[in-house]
Amino acid sequence: QVQLVESGGDLVQPGGSLRLSCSASRNIFSIWRMGWYRQAPGKQRELVAVITSGGSTNYANSVKGRFTISRDHAKNTVYLQMNSLKPEDTAVYYCNLRSATVEAWGQGTKVTVSS
């Protein structure tokens, strides 16, 4: 079993930046992917960005060019660098880990972009 912990959510002005972190309780040595999802009021959960154990990344069209997903050297923590934030980025952001044998979700971290 693996547990995930997110951090970094905050209140920020439009145009500002935040970095979210998602840490797993242990390294995963099988093939895996970790992603960031978000859910805003009145909207369905949306995949924002994903990174695989092989290092490939993908982004939702709404965040391309503004958000960057990355991993640390130990491959047990992923980051979501969010730049040029917009009010429509306001949501609870959730980290997800998926492999052939496990799937885990974090508790979520709230991002509010407002003047």
Side-chain angles (χ1 to χ4, degrees):
Q1 55 186 339
V2 179
Q3 299 177 56
L4 304 179
V5 179
E6 305 105 325
S7 64
D10 206 348
L11 171 65
V12 64
Q13 296 257 315
S17 297
L18 286 173
R19 189 180 75 161
L20 306 184
S21 298
C22 175
S23 296
S25 58
R26 61 176 175 85
N27 286 337
I28 306 299
F29 295 100
S30 60
I31 297 172
W32 54 262
R33 63 171 57 191
M34 296 185 74
W36 285 98
Y37 293 75
R38 67 185 182 187
Q39 188 162 22
K43 295 185 177 181
Q44 295 184 351
R45 187 179 63 185
E46 173 189 25
L47 176 62
V48 176
V50 63
I51 188 166
T52 71
S53 52
S56 63
T57 59
N58 285 288
Y59 300 90
N61 288 335
S62 59
V63 306
K64 285 181 179 177
R66 298 188 297 120
F67 291 9
T68 303
I69 189 169
S70 62
R71 57 183 177 175
D72 72 4
H73 69 279
K75 310 298 189 295
N76 66 336
T77 300
V78 296
Y79 305 94
L80 185 67
Q81 179 66 47
M82 305 185 294
N83 299 324
S84 302
L85 283 163
K86 305 174 180 179
E88 50 264 44
D89 296 317
T90 296
V92 177
Y93 286 70
Y94 298 92
C95 183
N96 172 259
L97 168 67
R98 183 182 300 171
S99 73
T101 57
V102 301
E103 183 172 12
W105 289 90
Q107 293 295 312
T109 185
K110 187 176 182 180
V111 173
T112 302
V113 185
S114 175
S115 299

